[in-house]
Amino acid sequence: MAAALHLSAVNSTPPDTSIPSTILKPSKLSPPIPPSLLLQRVTGPKSLKQIHAQIIKSRCTQALQVQIKLISLYSLFNQMDSAELCFQRIPSKLQFAYNAMIRGYSTHGFPEKALLLYSQMLYSHSPPPDKFTFPFILKACAALSALSEAREAHGRIIKTGLTPDVHISTALVDFYMKLCEVGIARQVFDNIPLKNTVCWNALIAGYAHNELDVEAVDAFKWMIELGFQPSSSTMVSVLPAVGRLGDLEEGKLMHKLIIEKGIEIKESVINSLIAMYGKCGETETARRLFDEMLEKTAVSWTVMISTYARNGKFAEALELFICMQAHGVKPTAVTVASILPACADMMHIKLGMKVHGYSIKNGFDLDIIMSTALVDMYAKCGCIAEARCVFDEMPERNIVSWNAMINAFGLHGQVMDALEWFALMQLDGMKPNGSTFVSLISACSHAGMVAEGLECFKSMSKDYDLVPETKHYACVVDLLGRAGRLKEAFEFIKAMPSEPDDSAWGALLGACRIHKDVELGRMAALKALELKPREPGYYVLLTNIYAGSGRWADAQKLREVMKEKKILKEAGCSSIENGGIVHSFVVGDSKHPEWKKIYKKMEEIEEKLKEEGYVPDTSLVLHEEIEKSERLAIHSERIALAFGLLKIPDGIPIKITKNLRVCADCHSAFKHASRIYKREIILRDLRRFHRFGSGNCSCKDCW
DNA sequence: ATAGGGTTAG
């Protein structure tokens, strides 16, 4: 019945132009064309149906071969219902019939059905699976993350003596890599007797998938050295790894190699090259490649836009975003989502809102990744109410969405809200993960809520079956240390079940700076530098501790060590948005076109501050800098504040973001300024938000 | 009469 319906549907479809009319209307004079020949003319799903109808009408005897070819073609064109009908009608089930069905199910999104047929092969009187069966079974297992099923299949592969088959081994490498079983994947790869390009590709793609970028690049070099010809897939797999490593030299070599080896330059290869150059900071090279592309897809535009966004070229990113649409290419949710983190980073709320508007118009705000990025963007731009609004409107939420909201509250010092949302997420059936607890504990830490923070930490293993990672230990050290409980923090590090990493010692070091403990601080710094010898932050913190306790000679010596080792401390940089443009300032900046005006305003501010009782806090500045204590006044956030007071109209909060932590002196100056100028000032530093108003700060001086 | 590997992202 179903077959009849099916065929009548075929007859009503208009003729496929690709089929010669002789097939559709066979002349009575000439003998019917044999079915096997007819099937060779199939070009797509439409012609397949028509030819199938033709075969049935011609009443030729249908050889098993023809029936199997039909199954194979239907499953190739994703017509699984028709394939299933043919499959059920053949009397003796052969391996290729099964294989064709399993191929269709596993490549067209029905992995469960593929595994069901496989178990039918195993447990009924069917033919056993063969070397053509296993690659599809492993693909289905990968789609379902079915480790035990794959292991069973792997055992059967070994028992049947199929281990040396390169197709099967490649599928095994791919499967284990996708489930992050890198060691097993490598073992399977090493046992392949006759390797080829494709199995190398699976290994390299697998390493890249697991972000083992050095391994991916090494495997690539090794493959070339052994004389294998890389394909475009090889390049597409290895280039993201090079990009993440930021290894421009290696990337250039690979670009050259693509040309030398005559690798087919597909669109995907160029997209990967653009992304690689973008991640290495070479926006101009990336743009040149992009401009030379003949066929740009939405992915190409997205890659170029995110290249600009990643490198802080927001005007170019937005321009390209508009240009893309003018070229009739529709941005995807990924395109717009890739602009948002940049808006968040620069506190470019105007651009963020524009992107939000565009997303609503196109229904992207329903995309979970997109809306989570919006929550994060609004929160990092200081708009916690808007973040909350987007969160409330989300049609669905995953763990990342909840974490973004909890983290948002923490950033804004709203611990009680963070804890409440933590309870809400569980009522919603969501299980917290490691990142949830990082947000929670650091939220408690910033609010000085030691007991609650410790409770969270204990609870994660006791109630949530999570193993605390080094980052959680570092959070607890920060929690205890910040509250002045340095001894306990130290004991906590010593009691860690695994070797502490530099971040734990770094947290203790930071706490020692706040509470001015030279001896413990020195020890923590030595430990941290032992584990991460070139981290400028650790040098700077220890120098600050020395200077703060009057040990100028030690401070000076440390500075010289830094100079000698060519360790540069990161330059402080503050940004502020006005009129849709983000203005950035660094320490002692005089590059801004209006810098003279800004400095004049700054002098005025400093004078007013001093009149109103502000006393510069020079305790954390180096000796030589104290001599000219006005240098304090040139910290980048002070320039940004002057710019804000100069440009942003009364009554509108001034929003500034800084790439490092705000220093105690600037913090005190901002408090005074908020009172004197009757202005709300919102400062986001490396860690959190400070909301200044009427002479106070939301952080309650605890940061 | 059938097979294996890939690009943008919170």
Side-chain angles (χ1 to χ4, degrees):
Chain A
M1 189 59 198
L5 278 174
H6 176 75
L7 290 174
S8 67
V10 165
N11 289 337
S12 66
T13 51
D16 184 336
T17 48
S18 63
I19 303 161
S21 57
T22 48
I23 298 174
L24 294 173
K25 293 191 186 95
S27 150
K28 285 195 174 150
L29 300 171
S30 60
I33 304 164
S36 55
L37 271 181
L38 276 176
L39 283 171
Q40 280 177 13
R41 308 188 186 179
V42 171
T43 55
K46 231 178 191 174
S47 58
L48 172 59
K49 277 187 182 176
Q50 289 172 327
I51 287 167
H52 189 183
Q54 196 61 50
I55 290 169
I56 291 170
K57 270 196 259 173
S58 74
R59 295 180 198 284
C60 283
T61 47
Q62 287 188 39
L64 193 58
Q65 260 184 17
V66 170
Q67 302 200 29
I68 284 164
K69 184 74 192 170
L70 277 167
I71 296 171
S72 168
L73 285 169
Y74 274 125
S75 88
L76 185 69
F77 296 133
N78 196 8
Q79 313 264 307
M80 293 313 292
D81 288 346
S82 310
E84 183 78 52
L85 280 172
C86 299
F87 182 67
Q88 275 162 12
R89 256 188 283 131
I90 52 171
S92 52
K93 304 266 193 288
L94 295 168
Q95 270 164 335
F96 9 97
Y98 269 105
N99 291 346
M101 288 303 292
I102 290 174
R103 174 185 65 176
Y105 282 136
S106 90
T107 53
H108 294 119
F110 308 100
E112 299 94 343
K113 288 194 172 179
L115 292 187
L116 199 72
L117 269 184
Y118 171 65
S119 62
Q120 208 174 304
M121 286 179 96
L122 294 178
Y123 302 115
S124 64
H125 297 288
S126 307
D130 66 356
K131 63 174 180 172
F132 293 102
T133 321
F134 288 111
F136 296 123
I137 291 306
L138 290 165
K139 196 189 180 85
C141 288
L144 295 166
S145 296
L147 185 61
S148 56
E149 283 83 351
R151 282 196 168 279
E152 189 275 344
H154 192 176
R156 206 170 288 276
I157 289 161
I158 294 169
K159 256 190 281 175
T160 349
L162 290 171
T163 312
D165 185 279
V166 67
H167 285 98
I168 294 176
S169 297
T170 301
L172 279 169
V173 170
D174 183 56
F175 171 82
Y176 284 120
M177 283 297 198
K178 281 189 176 135
L179 269 83
C180 308
E181 294 281 357
V182 179
I184 306 178
R186 178 59 196 268
Q187 217 172 6
V188 173
F189 177 84
D190 286 340
N191 284 329
I192 303 175
L194 286 169
K195 298 184 176 58
N196 61 18
T197 297
V198 183
C199 71
W200 277 100
N201 290 355
L203 181 77
I204 294 166
Y207 278 139
H209 173 82
N210 287 283
E211 302 216 345
L212 293 167
D213 300 323
V214 175
E215 285 82 352
V217 175
D218 283 348
F220 176 79
K221 287 185 194 161
W222 191 18
M223 165 188 186
I224 301 297
E225 231 164 81
L226 291 171
F228 289 95
Q229 168 71 17
S231 66
S232 49
S233 291
T234 320
M235 302 321 296
V236 166
S237 302
V238 76
L239 284 168
V242 181
R244 277 192 297 264
L245 291 171
D247 191 342
L248 181 60
E249 287 315 304
E250 192 61 53
K252 280 182 181 166
L253 282 176
M254 288 189 186
H255 190 172
K256 231 201 270 165
L257 191 130
I258 290 172
I259 295 155
E260 282 169 7
K261 299 255 176 192
I263 297 170
E264 190 191 351
I265 301 178
K266 293 186 183 178
E267 177 230 320
S268 57
V269 174
I270 304 185
N271 290 343
S272 306
L273 276 172
I274 294 172
M276 181 277 293
Y277 280 119
K279 283 178 190 154
C280 294
E282 292 279 298
T283 48
E284 276 148 43
T285 316
R287 181 58 192 254
R288 213 168 44 240
L289 281 169
F290 176 79
D291 286 338
E292 285 166 6
M293 281 182 94
L294 295 175
E295 266 180 75
K296 301 181 182 79
T297 62
V299 175
S300 322
W301 289 90
T302 303
V303 172
M304 195 60 228
I305 289 169
S306 65
T307 290
Y308 279 138
R310 183 193 304 279
N311 290 287
K313 305 199 166 185
F314 304 111
E316 286 89 340
L318 185 60
E319 193 193 322
L320 210 59
F321 181 61
I322 293 159
C323 188
M324 168 184 192
Q325 293 159 79
H327 278 74
V329 183
K330 270 186 80 70
T332 65
V334 178
T335 319
V336 276
S338 69
I339 303 182
L340 286 176
C343 299
D345 188 64
M346 297 298 285
M347 273 179 102
H348 199 329
I349 182 68
K350 290 237 168 75
L351 178 52
M353 286 171 71
K354 228 174 189 169
V355 170
H356 188 182
Y358 178 85
S359 307
I360 292 172
K361 250 190 270 165
N362 290 277
F364 297 155
D365 58 323
L366 304 175
D367 179 287
I368 194 162
I369 293 176
M370 176 66 207
S371 47
T372 302
L374 279 171
V375 169
D376 189 63
M377 183 275 294
Y378 278 121
K380 287 189 176 145
C381 285
C383 310
I384 186 80
E386 285 80 355
R388 166 93 201 264
C389 232
V390 173
F391 183 84
D392 287 343
E393 297 289 317
M394 285 174 77
E396 53 166 347
R397 302 178 187 99
N398 62 16
I399 179 70
V400 188
S401 326
W402 283 95
N403 287 351
M405 198 62 231
I406 291 172
N407 191 52
F409 285 129
L411 283 175
H412 286 265
Q414 303 179 18
V415 204
M416 296 321 286
D417 288 313
L419 291 169
E420 195 186 330
W421 252 252
F422 177 60
L424 279 176
M425 86 182 268
Q426 292 168 78
L427 286 175
D428 204 44
M430 203 60 72
K431 197 177 162 330
N433 66 12
S435 308
T436 320
F437 284 96
V438 170
S439 296
L440 280 175
I441 302 169
S442 53
C444 292
S445 178
H446 289 311
M449 291 168 59
V450 181
E452 289 81 355
L454 286 175
E455 196 44 54
C456 283
F457 177 76
K458 278 184 209 146
S459 163
M460 70 181 285
S461 45
K462 199 179 73 196
D463 306 321
Y464 298 96
D465 213 23
L466 292 166
V467 181
E469 299 162 52
T470 47
K471 58 187 175 190
H472 299 107
Y473 286 95
C475 283
V476 174
V477 173
D478 184 70
L479 174 80
L480 291 166
R482 203 175 281 279
R485 290 157 70 166
L486 296 173
K487 247 207 134 63
E488 278 171 79
F490 183 37
E491 293 304 321
F492 184 80
I493 295 181
K494 284 198 285 192
M496 277 176 67
S498 56
E499 269 308 299
D501 71 346
D502 65 290
S503 62
W505 293 113
L508 182 62
L509 174 60
C512 288
R513 189 205 57 173
I514 298 172
H515 298 286
K516 303 188 164 56
D517 188 324
V518 184
E519 278 322 304
L520 196 57
R522 219 176 81 86
M523 203 268 302
L526 288 177
K527 289 280 191 187
L529 285 169
E530 208 175 278
L531 295 161
K532 208 174 184 190
R534 298 195 58 84
E535 174 56 47
Y538 299 148
Y539 279 98
V540 172
L541 281 171
L542 184 57
T543 321
N544 285 342
I545 293 178
Y546 282 147
S549 57
R551 291 169 65 161
W552 309 113
D554 288 326
Q556 195 54 41
K557 222 162 77 189
L558 206 56
R559 275 199 119 191
E560 271 154 27
V561 172
M562 278 181 81
K563 245 185 222 163
E564 210 175 279
K565 295 191 175 172
K566 293 197 167 70
I567 294 170
L568 297 172
K569 59 176 173 179
E570 198 181 343
C573 175
S574 296
S575 304
I576 178 169
E577 182 263 334
N578 182 44
I581 295 164
V582 172
H583 302 260
S584 295
F585 303 96
V586 294
V587 188
D589 206 337
S590 57
K591 285 201 194 72
H592 195 275
E594 295 181 76
W595 73 274
K596 279 189 181 157
K597 258 187 177 167
I598 298 168
Y599 273 66
K600 208 161 174 201
K601 183 74 184 173
M602 215 155 58
E603 274 168 28
E604 175 212 305
I605 296 169
E606 296 302 321
E607 225 154 89
K608 273 202 179 175
L609 285 178
K610 279 177 191 160
E611 276 170 27
E612 298 277 340
Y614 151 78
V615 182
D617 174 1
T618 54
S619 65
L620 293 182
V621 186
L622 285 185
H623 192 209
E624 61 183 77
E625 280 174 355
I626 280 190
E627 286 159 16
K628 25 180 183 170
S629 81
E630 63 271 15
R631 276 194 72 157
L632 271 177
I634 331 180
H635 265 172
S636 63
E637 54 268 51
R638 304 284 264 265
I639 310 175
L641 177 64
F643 179 83
L645 286 170
L646 201 61
K647 294 282 177 183
I648 295 171
D650 274 339
I652 296 173
I654 292 173
K655 293 179 181 177
I656 297 169
T657 175
K658 182 179 188 193
N659 66 337
L660 302 173
R661 279 210 215 167
V662 58
C663 79
D665 180 61
C666 287
H667 194 264
S668 152
F670 272 47
K671 284 201 290 189
H672 281 87
S674 75
R675 180 172 48 85
I676 298 162
Y677 290 91
K678 296 190 177 57
R679 189 73 78 99
E680 188 180 9
I681 306 166
I682 299 167
L683 172 69
R684 189 189 75 195
D685 73 2
L686 186 64
R687 302 266 174 217
R688 58 165 300 159
F689 275 97
H690 301 267
R691 219 170 254 268
F692 301 92
S694 326
N696 292 307
C697 178
S698 62
C699 76
K700 301 185 188 77
D701 298 335
C702 178
W703 82 93

